[in-house]
Every structure is written in C-alpha cells, then in structure tokens.
Amino acid sequence: MPLQSMTGFARREGSSGRYRWAWELRSVNGKGLDVRLRLPQGLERFEPDCRRLAPQYFSRGNLQIALSVSGGETAVDAVINRGALDAVLKLREQLGDLVDPAPLRFDTLLSLRGIIDLREPEESESERAARDTDIVKGLELALADLMAMREEEGAALEKVLLMQVDRIEELTTTVESDPSRSPSAIAARLAQQIALIMDNASSIDRERLHAEVALLATKADLREEIDRLRAHIAAARELLTKGGPVGRKLDFLAQEFNRESNTICSKSNAAVVSAAGIELKVVIDQFREQVQNLE
C-alpha cells in the first residue's frame, strides 16, 4: 500500500433532479481518525454514511466533511382550494341580485386570497431516494479524491524520509569508522585516564580501580549504539517500502534514533564523533517532524 500524508483537500459536486449538491473534504494531522461533519439542517440522515465510509479510506487524520445542497429552478403547480372556492360561489348565490350577476372572471379569482395556491411540486419518495443515492456516491468520489491527494503527498514524503534515513546511515558509518574507536585508541585513552586516577588518589584499592576501568571501558564503547542504529535504519526502510498506515511505528523509531544519538554524544571523547552525533540529532529531528505528517 502507498504511504499517505494526513493533509489534503477534495471537492465533488453534481446534480440530482432539480437539486445541486457539493461535498468539501479537508484533512489535517491527527493522532487517530476524527470525523467532523457540517451538514445542512434537515439532511442529518447522511451522518451514518459519512461515519461508515470515512474509515474505509483513512485510519488517521482530523477529517472535516461539509455538504451543501441547493434547489434549482423548478415549475410551480397551481392548486385550487376547492373549499374556499365553493364558499365564495355559495356566498355569491346567497347575495343574489345584490351583486353583479356576470360570471366571475379568472383575474378576480386570482385576487381572492386562498382560492389558488402556488406551490412547488412535492418530491416523491422515489425521487428523494434517487437524490440521496447520488449524494452518497458523490461522497465516495470525494473520499477517493482525497485519498489520491494524500497518497500523492505521501509519495513525496517517502522520498524525503528515505533521504534522511540515508543521511542517518552515513553519519552512523562516520561514527563507526572514526579512528578514536579503534582498540588501540581506546586502550590509550583508558591508560591515560587510569594514570590520572592514580595520580590524584593517595591510596586506592584494587576493586575500585577495576570498577573505574570497567566504567571507562563501557563509556568508550559505542558498539551497541551503532548496532541499534543500524537495526533501526533497516526497520525504517522496510516500513517506508511496505507503505500503508506506518506513521506511528516510524514515530517510535524516531524516538529510538534520538535515544541512541543522545548516548553517542554523551559517550564521545572525539571531536569527529561528537560532531557526527550532533548532526545525527538534527537529522533525526527533521525525520520525526516529517513523520508526524504520515498516516
């Protein structure tokens, strides 16, 4: 599966019958999948569809889904109020000769309130069901568009992250190959530090000396940190190649990268190793910042 960024935008619009509709989707970073809806009053029935479909496309991100629906031009039906018309005709009959006996004119009927109502035609159940189906299909298309945009950004992020992993590997190799890590260099530093201990101590027992030597030897050895860094590098490359929702795992690896670089900086007795450790921290921070954008 391709990597996905958690940021994106999509819009789909269309028409069904005399109605026009439009979906707008926006996505930003989030720890989980948080779906927030903005639906027109009276159309809350689309909420279950939104909450059912969104997890089929995404597993993380703050997702805002907005729907707008507007009615287009339509014919108007003229509806005769038979009860009101009959009442008017009955009244005319009762008045007899007191009113003009000429037939009622159509424009006269139109002027009488309540005789004729102009109404929009009522939407049938089948028409409403067809419109709802079209709107839900539009939502699916908008979700697919948003996923495509997130995948496009995810592909760009993958390239950046792989370059950063390559740089972490280069710096790890710099630390590993530095002459200060050779057995002879470590032994020389240990001898020098032991000599300082002996010069500054009027009396020191053998057990304490062994403990100090063991401590110095441990601090001088970066083998474990280097091995763990290389294991994390391999794991990061595997996750980036695998794709899918791997943002959380890569964020954990970034924390582990940072832990090892901190240890290297604290143990280092050589300028080259210290410089490489500091640059490691910078690259790892950049790596983790980019990882925050991944699903």
Side-chain angles (χ1 to χ4, degrees), residues 38-100:
R38 193 168 73 244
L39 303 174
Q41 187 174 1
L43 296 180
E44 293 83 0
R45 62 182 179 273
F46 290 108
E47 179 173 352
D49 292 305
C50 294
R51 299 199 180 278
R52 172 179 59 85
L53 290 171
Q56 296 179 19
Y57 292 83
F58 314 112
S59 62
R60 289 181 67 195
N62 290 325
L63 181 61
Q64 297 179 2
I65 300 178
L67 170 66
S68 60
V69 178
S70 59
E73 295 183 1
T74 183
V76 177
D77 289 341
V79 181
I80 299 175
N81 188 332
R82 296 297 306 185
L85 178 59
D86 290 343
V88 170
L89 294 175
K90 184 176 181 180
L91 176 61
R92 183 175 183 274
E93 183 181 348
Q94 290 174 351
L95 293 174
D97 296 339
L98 297 177
V99 297
D100 186 356

Side-chain angles (χ1 to χ4, degrees), residues 9 34 40 45 47 71-72 83 112 136 166 183 195 209 220 227 232 253 286:
F9 172 82
D34 182 14
R45 62 182 179 273
E47 179 173 352
L112 296 175
V136 172
D166 289 344
L209 179 60
D227 289 343
H232 298 334
L253 280 177
Q286 294 171 346

Side-chain angles (χ1 to χ4, degrees), residues 226-276:
I226 292 169
D227 289 343
R228 282 195 291 265
L229 276 174
R230 292 201 178 280
H232 298 334
I233 290 167
R237 284 191 175 129
E238 182 180 356
L239 287 171
L240 289 169
T241 302
K242 175 184 176 183
V246 296
R248 291 177 184 269
K249 294 180 179 179
L250 286 170
D251 184 56
F252 172 76
L253 280 177
Q255 296 178 48
E256 295 301 304
F257 276 137
N258 192 57
R259 193 192 317 278
E260 304 308 332
S261 65
N262 284 337
T263 304
I264 287 173
C265 288
S266 66
K267 283 186 174 183
S268 172
N269 287 315
V272 172
V273 174
S274 296

Side-chain angles (χ1 to χ4, degrees), residues 178-193 220 269:
D178 188 76
S180 65
R181 290 201 61 259
S182 66
S184 59
I186 293 174
R189 284 201 306 275
L190 282 174
Q192 183 180 12
Q193 290 168 331
N269 287 315

Side-chain angles (χ1 to χ4, degrees), residues 83-136:
L85 178 59
D86 290 343
V88 170
L89 294 175
K90 184 176 181 180
L91 176 61
R92 183 175 183 274
E93 183 181 348
Q94 290 174 351
L95 293 174
D97 296 339
L98 297 177
V99 297
D100 186 356
L104 287 174
R105 293 171 56 86
F106 182 67
D107 56 352
T108 303
L109 288 177
L110 287 177
S111 67
L112 296 175
R113 179 181 297 178
I115 299 299
I116 298 178
D117 291 334
L118 299 178
R119 304 174 184 172
E120 291 184 356
E122 293 185 1
E123 188 179 33
S124 67
E125 286 297 324
S126 60
E127 290 173 332
R128 173 181 163 176
R131 173 164 58 91
D132 287 1
T133 298
D134 290 340
I135 291 176
V136 172

